[in-house]
Amino acid sequence: MNIGVFVCHCGSNIAGTVDTVAVAKAALAYPEVVFATDTMYACSEPGQAGIIEAVQKYELDGVVVASCTPRMHEATFRRTVERAGLNRYMFEMANIREHVSWIGKDKDANTNKAAELVHIAVEKLRRNTELTAGEFTINKRVMVIGGGVAGIQAALDCADGGLEVVLVEREPSIGGKMSKLDKTFPTVDCSSCILGPRMVDIAQNPNITLYTLSEVESVDGFVGNFDVKVRRKAAYVDWTLCTGCGECAAKCPSKKTPDRFNEFIGKTTAINIPFPQAIPKKASINAAACLMLTKGKCGACVKACPAGAIQFKQEDEIVTEQVGAVIVATGYDLFDFTQYGEYGGGRYPDVITSMQYERLLSASGPTEGHIKRPSDGKEPKDIVFIQCVGSRDKSIGRPYCSGFCCMYTAKQTILTKDHLPESQSYVFYMDIRSPGKGYDEFIRRAMEEYGARYIRGRVSAIQPKNGRYLIKGVNTLMGDQVEIEADLVVLAVGAEAAKGAPQLAEKLRISYDTYGFYMEGHPKLKPVETNTAGIYLAGSCQGPKDIPSSVAQGGAAASKVLGLFSKDKLASDPQVSSVSLQRCIGCAKCQSVCPFGAIEMTQFRGMTKASVIATVCQGCGNCTSACPQGAIQLSHFTDNQILAEVHALCPY
Amino acid sequence: MSRRYAYYPGCSGQGTSREYDSSTRAMCQELGFELIDIPDWNCCGSTPAHAVDHLLSASLVARNLAIAEDMDVEGIVTPCPSCLKNLKTSQHRMLRPEFHQEVQRVLGRAVRADLPIKSVLQVLVEDRGIGWIAQQATAPLTGLKVVPYYGCIMNRPPDVMRFDDPENPMALDNLLTAIGAEVLPFALKTDCCGASLGTTRRDVVARLSGRVLDAAAAAGADAIVTACPLCQMNLDMRQAQINKANGSSHRLPVFYYSQLIMLATGQQGERVGLDKLCVSPFSLLESLGPQAGEVRS
């Protein structure tokens, strides 16, 4: 076998702390290495051309590139050797950047380590065999989890591209956080007027199956062939009969039910349609508040319903959907400010969240768009807005900026002035962060045209005083203390990961960060992909985002799915396990450790043997570690290859 | 079951807050706490020491800690939040080994600095429990409307003090409720009274303590209850000054919580020290009924 070794400088990334010439020279001493060189950028056009030229000139049978992590460029170099006429699996990569040059400053030690990593790669390559990818068919349906604006955009774009879409939403209606907003920045256009038609499109699109009041129960399978179980929670109303007339809610005697949609400002009924534009416009029963379901007597809604749709005996239902890809668009939740004692810890009725204020501003909200204090229903005159509540605060484990609070606070001051021309708004801020088209101009408008008074500093205490509130804080620009008396305090609560986000991530086998936001495939180059093939992200589940960004990501995720589904078959990875029938004793240990259900036990001449379903196998190698006989081997990572690597490192 | 603690009285207890010291000692005796004075204790350094030199402040504190470590006690208690803060902060700083060694060098002796240090209020609440204290209240203060005033440093900084909520502490609220008083919600319970600025910037104290008095009166309180000698002095002794400066006319007695516990457990007399208060509480206490009214004798 003729092996060629290419040691990449990666500019100064590697060459700065590794003697790449020395590494190439050392490589020439390794068995079967007939050619070794250093190269400025192996991944560049001339770098790849150099590899191809060497393969042809020295009649190489395999190539080692010592450069960066295989994550990015393994695919690049596999294509390179293929273009040179070799099998794409006759290639190995030694990571001398992330594993060497970026983590150590001692050039001699680094050079030695890099040479050893190259040696390991050479020993493995010597035992590589040519592998050929198979093909498998894919199911061209897509599931979108989460029916906020990002999920809606993704679902509509997929459906417009001709795909069958299953949209799953946890709440009774789609619409997400955007459906709770009164207006949007920086255009101050009505949120439900721009979102509403999109929601209707979802309901009317024949390609979209909508499951609301539903949650993903489990996810099995792999890219192209996922089996997703969805729990459709009991609404206690037969939605095939319900016409959305609302007679039931009008007659329901449980009129003091906490109103989730209105952020618990105001009350609703136990059976209700959350808001006028709800999609689907169907009633559902809050079981905890329903007299019939808790105490066994009432039934007012049954009498009121002209369609006979009420079904107290309805139970959760599990449906299984086969899809080829999943777009996760589960959004965010709002920070619970009650852990801030200085803002009253939730004890003061007129200290509310920005989302609650949004409901007060909304014409379909509990006050029909009149700004009234929750405590006494009076119109406020002085309103204090406090920004960064639960953002940029290490002490409560939220060091990140939520990104959109500066903008929505400015919007709320503008709307406040529109609603109450005699009012005065004050905004306590840390910094104004308004990068975006027309965003900073919008903040200026709030200050200059609408007279919002911006005070740079934090608030130390909110204290009730004569039916109003005394807000004590610091003005860091003036270097002075400030005290403002106000009728209403609005806290710009930050964004945090949606409740249950980590649990869903476990089901989907995607990763999430410290705060529960989902990890994209690459922070710059794969913003909507995940590291699990066939699963994509859209919107705030990946990190706090405003509406335009969420919509853009929804569309981007849809385009990725359409791209994936543009092929009828996907190439299967040939790096899968296979069983040696002679060695297998049928103990089924491999089956018990396989996380993908890729191993089945079969009968062979009256004996039980393991068998790998190649299209399901993900090449994790659990089975090879578990097999007591060494009967099951993972192609490209056989026991012999791994032992050869170890021997290269520890020859004695 | 008696609990043994080393007692650090603090300098206020020798002068401006004698009634706090005497009522605290008496209260602890009644409630089964054995307080043993740290022999030959010295000043904690108060504000001046830690304002100029942490090593000086910690060394002053450490001498007291070292003496207490020879005493066979569960821990050190003090009634004064300011002393408490100095004791605990110095102990906290000595968690850094270099600083700890430096203090021992200055002191010329070893000090472990590991005895628990707590306020009398904290051990009362934690060792005895609110429910138990309620049972001891044989003469509950029914009808007495009070606001609890913790002052600014009893619970702060939270990482060092490790007692109760730094923004909305409830220990005193619960304790006073347990002995029958009507405790009113009080948003200013951890605000600053102006502290030692009373000697240099009386206007600041007039403004800050004035606010506390205004808010207490607005809440409908008959009296304010404190656990801090400096707070008590500003609110009580300077109440007339504050009234004059602000054009107000408050006459709010300012009790130490230990005095009220004594009253509620049927104790009276010199140890309670009600006659030491500048704003006389006697007409208020008489108005509550015959039982409470007897305290004057």
Side-chain angles (χ1 to χ4, degrees):
Chain A
M1 189 175 195
N2 290 339
I3 292 176
V5 173
F6 300 83
V7 184
C8 181
H9 294 207
C10 196
S12 61
N13 274 304
I14 294 170
T17 55
V18 173
D19 184 345
T20 46
V21 177
V23 173
K25 203 174 156 205
L28 277 174
Y30 302 142
E32 299 185 295
V33 174
V34 298
F35 175 76
T37 185
D38 58 305
T39 171
M40 194 65 176
Y41 287 103
C43 60
S44 67
E45 183 85 39
Q48 294 188 49
I51 294 173
I52 293 173
E53 198 185 303
V55 168
Q56 285 153 359
K57 187 169 172 191
Y58 298 95
E59 297 185 337
L60 301 178
D61 304 305
V63 168
V64 169
V65 174
S67 57
C68 48
T69 164
R71 240 178 126 126
M72 185 83 192
H73 281 315
E74 189 179 62
T76 311
F77 293 123
R78 282 205 199 291
R79 284 195 299 271
T80 310
V81 298
E82 208 163 46
R83 278 191 285 137
L86 301 181
N87 180 277
R88 58 192 295 148
Y89 290 92
M90 298 308 286
F91 165 76
E92 288 300 325
M93 214 163 166
N95 183 358
I96 60 167
R97 193 177 70 179
E98 282 82 348
H99 286 180
V100 182
S101 69
W102 276 357
I103 55 168
K105 287 188 178 142
D106 181 338
K107 195 160 183 174
D108 287 341
N110 279 358
T111 304
N112 280 338
K113 184 178 174 187
E116 287 184 335
L117 291 179
V118 171
H119 190 188
I120 288 174
V122 167
E123 289 298 341
K124 177 162 185 289
L125 177 61
R126 292 177 69 200
R127 290 158 183 83
N128 276 3
T129 51
E130 298 193 351
L131 299 176
T132 314
E135 283 185 327
F136 62 93
T137 55
I138 56 172
N139 182 334
K140 295 189 182 182
R141 300 176 83 221
V142 57
M143 175 173 285
V144 179
I145 308 174
V149 68
I152 288 173
Q153 184 68 37
L156 288 175
D157 286 355
C158 286
D160 286 348
L163 302 181
E164 265 186 60
V165 181
V166 181
L167 177 57
V168 179
E169 166 60 47
R170 177 155 68 179
E171 298 294 326
S173 168
I174 57 168
K177 296 281 185 295
M178 187 177 168
S179 64
K180 297 187 180 195
L181 305 179
D182 178 39
K183 302 283 197 306
T184 59
F185 61 79
T187 42
V188 199
D189 42 3
C190 160
S191 184
S192 47
C193 310
I194 55 176
L195 181 67
R198 293 296 179 94
M199 292 166 62
V200 174
D201 287 349
I202 292 279
Q204 293 179 347
N205 195 311
N207 279 350
I208 299 177
T209 306
L210 177 59
Y211 294 139
T212 61
L213 212 58
S214 300
E215 287 189 74
V216 168
E217 188 87 353
S218 67
V219 182
D220 290 315
F222 54 97
V223 58
N225 296 279
F226 291 107
D227 284 323
V228 187
K229 286 198 170 63
V230 176
R231 176 179 291 273
R232 303 195 65 192
K233 290 178 277 185
Y236 305 101
V237 176
D238 184 340
W239 282 1
T240 57
L241 298 175
C242 175
T243 60
C245 68
E247 289 294 322
C248 51
K251 295 281 156 46
C252 178
S254 286
K255 296 198 189 302
K256 290 191 174 170
T257 306
D259 191 346
R260 271 174 66 77
F261 184 78
N262 281 324
E263 296 285 316
F264 305 104
I265 290 241
K267 304 284 183 195
T268 183
T269 45
I271 187 166
N272 67 68
I273 297 168
F275 57 103
Q277 302 91 338
I279 297 287
K281 199 170 182 193
K282 306 285 181 192
S284 57
I285 294 178
N286 176 341
C290 172
L291 289 174
M292 193 67 174
L293 289 169
T294 53
K295 300 201 174 105
K297 50 188 172 189
C298 179
C301 51
V302 178
K303 292 189 202 100
C305 179
I310 313 293
Q311 284 188 351
F312 291 118
K313 295 224 165 80
Q314 199 176 66
E315 286 178 355
D316 289 6
E317 182 194 352
I318 306 281
V319 292
T320 305
E321 289 288 346
Q322 268 106 30
V323 295
V326 178
I327 296 174
V328 192
T330 46
Y332 67 100
D333 267 314
L334 293 167
F335 171 78
D336 174 13
F337 78 90
T338 57
Q339 60 180 292
Y340 279 112
E342 58 266 47
Y343 303 147
R347 295 191 303 279
Y348 306 138
D350 300 321
V351 177
I352 63 175
T353 69
S354 45
M355 193 60 103
Q356 289 176 323
Y357 193 60
E358 207 67 47
R359 294 314 299 153
L360 291 182
L361 291 166
S362 169
S364 63
T367 54
E368 292 168 340
H370 299 292
I371 304 174
K372 293 175 178 173
R373 305 208 310 169
S375 63
D376 55 11
K378 285 188 188 147
E379 277 185 2
K381 187 180 168 298
D382 297 301
I383 301 174
V384 164
F385 295 85
I386 303 173
Q387 291 195 178
C388 297
V389 177
S391 300
R392 303 178 67 194
D393 187 348
K394 272 199 282 187
S395 72
I396 48 131
R398 295 278 182 281
Y400 55 83
C401 171
S402 295
F404 44 53
C405 319
C406 288
M407 292 306 298
Y408 74 60
T409 300
K411 176 198 72 181
Q412 290 181 338
T413 66
I414 288 174
L415 295 177
T416 302
K417 198 73 176 172
D418 280 342
H419 279 67
L420 305 169
E422 299 301 310
S423 68
Q424 176 63 53
S425 294
Y426 302 86
V427 180
F428 282 91
Y429 70 100
M430 287 177 24
D431 297 289
I432 295 296
R433 298 191 162 176
S434 51
K437 203 169 173 180
Y439 283 15
D440 207 59
E441 299 91 313
F442 185 71
I443 301 256
R444 287 269 159 211
R445 251 171 81 200
M447 293 174 178
E448 290 161 8
E449 290 175 36
Y450 289 82
R453 292 194 196 153
Y454 272 69
I455 302 157
R456 187 176 185 276
R458 302 297 289 159
V459 167
S460 67
I462 300 172
Q463 294 170 345
K465 187 179 179 189
N466 306 327
R468 305 180 82 202
Y469 295 88
L470 179 68
I471 291 85
K472 298 180 181 173
V474 60
N475 184 335
T476 56
L477 293 181
M478 299 293 285
D480 205 0
Q481 297 174 3
V482 275
E483 294 189 348
I484 295 167
E485 283 194 32
D487 305 289
L488 186 66
V489 182
V490 180
L491 305 178
V493 286
E496 61 183 23
K499 308 249 175 329
Q503 289 78 358
L504 181 63
E506 310 274 336
K507 289 174 189 167
L508 291 162
R509 296 191 295 276
I510 59 175
S511 40
Y512 52 94
D513 66 16
T514 326
Y515 312 108
F517 291 113
Y518 297 149
M519 297 287 283
E520 62 281 5
H522 186 281
K524 292 159 193 82
L525 300 177
K526 293 184 177 178
V528 297
E529 292 94 324
T530 65
N531 284 327
T532 302
I535 303 204
Y536 302 90
L537 304 176
S540 290
C541 63
Q542 180 259 347
K545 250 170 226 72
D546 61 7
I547 294 167
S549 303
S550 295
V551 170
Q553 268 204 336
S559 81
K560 290 288 167 191
V561 172
L562 288 163
L564 178 76
F565 288 177
S566 67
K567 308 172 192 80
D568 292 324
K569 290 186 170 180
L570 291 181
S572 63
D573 190 336
Q575 300 175 92
V576 294
S577 291
S578 58
V579 178
S580 158
L581 287 176
Q582 288 95 328
R583 288 193 175 186
C584 178
I585 56 168
C587 69
K589 282 206 170 84
C590 51
Q591 192 182 30
S592 68
V593 297
C594 178
F596 305 101
I599 293 174
E600 54 190 7
M601 302 310 290
T602 54
Q603 291 299 313
F604 178 77
R605 293 183 188 161
M607 289 176 291
T608 306
K609 300 283 178 186
S611 168
V612 176
I613 311 165
T615 50
V616 182
C617 177
Q618 299 292 297
C620 71
N622 278 4
C623 53
T624 62
S625 310
C627 180
Q629 297 295 312
I632 192 160
Q633 291 290 322
L634 178 58
S635 307
H636 212 60
F637 293 95
T638 61
D639 288 352
N640 286 343
Q641 287 186 298
I642 290 165
L643 285 171
E645 291 184 311
V646 175
H647 282 307
L649 205 54
C650 322
Y652 309 110
Chain B
M1 183 193 60
S2 183
R3 314 279 304 236
R4 269 170 72 89
Y5 283 103
Y7 183 62
Y8 183 82
C11 52
S12 302
Q14 313 296 298
T16 53
S17 70
R18 278 197 171 172
E19 68 276 30
Y20 190 23
D21 183 60
S22 66
S23 60
T24 297
R25 288 171 188 273
M27 169 184 78
C28 287
Q29 194 183 354
E30 294 300 325
L31 299 181
F33 290 94
E34 191 181 344
L35 302 186
I36 305 151
D37 280 28
I38 296 175
D40 192 32
W41 61 272
N42 58 272
C43 172
C44 70
S46 190
T47 309
H50 76 74
V52 294
D53 188 350
H54 288 175
L55 182 60
L56 170 64
S57 171
S59 303
L60 287 166
V61 165
R63 183 176 172 276
N64 297 301
L65 301 187
I67 300 171
E69 282 166 12
D70 295 335
M71 284 175 65
D72 182 29
V73 287
E74 297 185 36
I76 302 171
V77 296
T78 177
C80 171
S82 182
C83 297
L84 181 74
K85 195 212 69 183
N86 275 337
L87 297 180
K88 286 187 79 96
T89 306
S90 297
Q91 187 185 41
H92 186 75
R93 290 205 173 105
M94 278 188 273
L95 289 174
R96 282 192 1 249
E98 317 85 68
F99 189 74
H100 190 167
Q101 272 173 12
E102 189 66 4
V103 170
Q104 294 187 119
R105 188 188 59 77
V106 171
L107 217 54
R109 64 165 288 182
V111 51
R112 297 196 311 272
D114 60 354
L115 271 182
I117 304 170
K118 294 175 181 179
S119 66
V120 175
L121 177 66
Q122 185 177 359
V123 295
L124 211 60
V125 171
E126 289 179 354
D127 293 1
R128 290 293 180 236
I130 296 290
W132 185 85
I133 292 166
Q135 288 167 19
Q136 315 309 310
T138 50
L141 304 173
T142 313
L144 183 64
K145 292 183 187 163
V146 296
V147 288
Y149 182 59
Y150 297 75
C152 54
I153 55 171
M154 172 97 83
N155 311 91
R156 290 165 171 162
D159 288 349
V160 175
M161 302 311 267
R162 295 185 179 277
F163 174 54
D164 217 342
D165 186 308
E167 297 295 341
N168 184 32
M170 288 301 288
L172 213 45
D173 293 61
N174 296 337
L175 193 63
L176 295 168
T177 307
I179 60 170
E182 185 183 341
V183 179
L184 305 163
F186 192 47
L188 275 66
K189 57 168 82 162
T190 57
D191 268 31
C192 178
C193 66
S196 55
L197 288 174
T199 45
T200 51
R201 288 285 305 272
R202 237 186 262 171
D203 58 318
V204 173
V205 171
R207 189 158 59 86
L208 296 182
S209 283
R211 252 183 199 186
V212 174
L213 292 167
D214 291 347
D222 300 328
I224 299 174
V225 184
T226 70
C228 172
L230 194 50
C231 296
Q232 199 277 346
M233 184 167 78
N234 279 337
L235 293 174
D236 181 40
M237 189 186 85
R238 297 189 187 280
Q239 198 170 117
Q241 274 177 12
I242 293 164
N243 279 337
K244 196 172 169 197
N246 298 349
S248 55
S249 55
H250 298 300
R251 274 199 62 77
L252 284 166
V254 184
F255 294 104
Y256 290 105
Y257 76 95
S258 49
Q259 294 178 308
L260 291 187
I261 289 188
M262 288 297 279
L263 291 183
T265 51
Q267 311 291 320
Q268 316 160 4
E270 200 182 333
R271 296 189 304 172
V272 186
L274 290 177
D275 56 342
K276 296 271 189 202
L277 301 183
C278 295
V279 177
S280 170
F282 292 112
S283 58
L284 168 64
L285 293 173
E286 275 159 18
S287 73
L288 294 179
Q291 196 181 21
E294 287 168 23
V295 294
R296 189 191 277 269
S297 55

